[in-house]
Amino acid sequence: METLPNQPKMIVAVEVEHLRKCFGTFCAVNDLSFSVAYGEVFGLLGPNGAGKSTLIRVLTTLLPPSSGVARILGFDVAHHADQVRKCIGVIPQAMTSDLDLSAMENMQIFAKLYSVPRDRRIKVAKELLEAVDLTAWADKPVKNFSGGMRRRLEIARGLVHEPRIFFLDEPTTGLDPASRVGVWEMLMRLKKERELTILLTTHYMDEADKLCDRIAIVDHGKLVALDSPLKLKASIPGNNILEVSFSQIPNGWLQTLENLADVQYVKSDDHVFRIGSDNGPKTTVALMEAVRQAQIEISSLSVQSTSLDDVFMHYTGRQLRDSLQDALGYQPAVYQGQR
Ligand SMILES: Nc1ncnc2c1ncn2[C@@H]1O[C@H](COP(=O)(O)OP(=O)(O)OP(=O)(O)O)[C@@H](O)[C@H]1O
Ligand SMILES: [Mg+2]
């Protein structure tokens, strides 16, 4: 890869200092500060409306910041937009490839827009289509592609000008589980082969857990927690989470649960109790005994290791899936009548 002219040698890829982006009196990004190291995969995790896309738009020079500073490879996004644009690739949240054109034609248009020299355009496009497993589909119209194939094409297209820093806004939203895994594997391969620094947004916990070296949890435009997935999970009390529901809830039951062996905290969500425990098996045995004494029955029980869902709940006071449902205005259909 060529070195960009005047590119400062540094190991910080993205620096954000007290960044705000406000629309009128409402700040979608509200005093965010963090940095992303060169070569890192950094995840922004948050519910609908958290400000993820707004932050990406500011970092990729599509929106000016209201206050604060953001630098990409040392270039200020507000004052050196052209240099920033040369360093970055962007995959926006909405799919934008042209359905009536073939995969190769979509690649060529982007390569031209990015002024990739004519003699390199075909070579680069072929290499990238190969990297995303679309060589056999190069000349087929994109309207015949599945969602996963279209996403892979757009990822390839975002790399035609060989950027160093790659921004992906919800790269796998709307894809089926197999396609999501396909996109993850491809991204990791591209990252390694092309020495990319990746900043992606997601509201999938498993995606953030699997892909990211570090995760910033954002909510209402603010940073709620920032660390590696492992450390985030270790940062909250309880190594195990028991999720349990009962045939009846006797008086004072919450306190009974809080007093069980090794319990760190108990939260209730409708009829389901989430019990954070330092020792899942021991708490489970104590729970059985408490249930026997109260002469009630357990309707459902699961014992899990701490997940990023629990981290999100711990730091924001609610579950990510609830936040998503609130924002989308729907309730889960399948379990609605069963609790
Ligand atoms: N141009 C705008 N004018 C006014 N409000 C805006 C504008 N763009 C975004 N917002 C508001 O800013 C908030 C954050 O929006 P944003 O799109 O950044 O969220 P997000 O985290 O990307 O959500 P999602 O997961 O749904 O993509 C929302 O409340 C949104 O309505
Ligand atoms: Mg968004």
Side-chain angles (χ1 to χ4, degrees):
M1 272 188 280
E2 294 158 12
T3 308
L4 285 166
N6 305 324
Q7 182 182 318
K9 278 239 174 295
M10 57 191 310
I11 50 163
V12 179
V14 180
E15 286 170 287
V16 174
E17 288 169 13
H18 300 292
L19 191 70
R20 273 203 175 84
K21 178 65 202 177
C22 304
F23 303 104
T25 53
F26 170 74
C27 293
V29 173
N30 199 352
D31 197 20
L32 279 186
S33 298
F34 62 85
S35 60
V36 180
Y38 196 77
E40 193 171 25
V41 181
F42 189 89
L44 284 167
L45 180 71
N48 291 116
K52 307 180 297 293
S53 296
T54 306
L55 174 62
I56 296 257
R57 283 189 206 114
V58 172
L59 295 181
T60 57
T61 75
L62 297 175
L63 282 176
S66 302
S67 63
V69 181
R71 291 184 210 95
I72 307 293
L73 288 175
F75 298 119
D76 188 317
V77 295
H79 302 114
H80 301 285
D82 281 348
Q83 283 99 322
V84 169
R85 287 182 197 137
K86 283 184 191 142
C87 314
I88 61 172
V90 189
I91 308 296
Q93 189 166 344
M95 300 236 201
T96 54
S97 45
D98 192 322
L99 292 169
D100 290 322
L101 301 181
S102 70
M104 183 51 105
E105 285 164 341
N106 268 285
M107 297 288 287
Q108 291 300 311
I109 287 179
F110 248 57
K112 217 168 165 179
L113 284 175
Y114 273 110
S115 309
V116 177
R118 185 189 292 266
D119 56 335
R120 279 188 52 73
R121 270 181 230 154
I122 298 271
K123 184 173 176 287
V124 168
K126 278 188 174 165
E127 278 173 12
L128 281 165
L129 287 175
E130 175 75 36
V132 297
D133 273 342
L134 286 176
T135 301
W137 293 79
D139 298 320
K140 305 269 193 311
V142 172
K143 64 179 165 224
N144 294 343
F145 285 21
S146 70
M149 290 163 73
R150 204 169 162 207
R151 214 31 160 175
R152 298 206 313 264
L153 168 63
E154 299 195 349
I155 289 171
R157 195 183 61 168
L159 294 170
V160 285
H161 56 303
E162 299 181 79
R164 302 293 202 283
I165 322 288
F166 204 25
F167 291 89
L168 299 111
D169 197 354
E170 296 190 27
T172 66
T173 294
L175 303 187
D176 65 54
S179 305
R180 290 179 63 213
V181 173
V183 168
W184 295 351
E185 286 171 355
M186 190 208 68
L187 262 181
M188 287 304 97
R189 207 171 53 236
L190 285 172
K191 180 207 170 307
K192 217 165 141 192
E193 286 168 9
R194 294 172 178 262
E195 293 175 35
L196 294 171
T197 302
I198 294 180
L199 193 152
L200 62 88
T201 77
T202 183
H203 29 67
Y204 294 121
M205 296 289 182
D206 56 342
E207 181 158 294
D209 206 353
K210 172 104 185 161
L211 292 184
C212 300
D213 299 310
R214 281 190 310 148
I215 296 168
I217 297 180
V218 281
D219 195 24
H220 300 303
K222 287 192 175 290
L223 189 65
V224 176
L226 167 60
D227 216 326
S228 67
L230 264 180
K231 285 192 185 149
L232 279 177
K233 286 185 257 184
S235 73
I236 67 169
N239 298 319
N240 293 110
I241 309 287
L242 283 69
E243 220 174 63
V244 59
S245 64
F246 305 94
S247 57
Q248 300 164 48
I249 300 173
N251 284 341
W253 192 236
L254 187 70
Q255 199 166 9
T256 307
L257 296 179
E258 282 170 350
N259 291 335
L260 295 177
D262 292 296
V263 166
Q264 285 274 354
Y265 65 88
V266 182
K267 287 181 178 161
S268 71
D269 175 8
D270 202 3
H271 290 100
V272 181
F273 291 82
R274 290 171 70 79
I275 306 174
S277 162
D278 281 338
N279 186 332
K282 223 167 146 184
T283 301
T284 308
V285 171
L287 175 68
M288 296 301 168
E289 179 55 23
V291 162
R292 197 186 60 75
Q293 281 184 16
Q295 299 187 323
I296 58 171
E297 283 174 17
I298 288 181
S299 308
S300 67
L301 169 67
S302 71
V303 183
Q304 310 142 13
S305 302
T306 309
S307 69
L308 284 176
D309 265 305
D310 304 309
V311 175
F312 185 83
M313 174 137 181
H314 180 82
Y315 286 111
T316 66
R318 58 193 205 285
Q319 285 182 297
L320 182 60
R321 58 176 181 267
D322 294 339
S323 319
L324 294 175
Q325 283 152 15
D326 289 348
L328 295 172
Y330 68 77
Q331 293 294 317
V334 179
Y335 293 107
Q336 211 167 11
Q338 296 183 4
R339 285 187 173 177

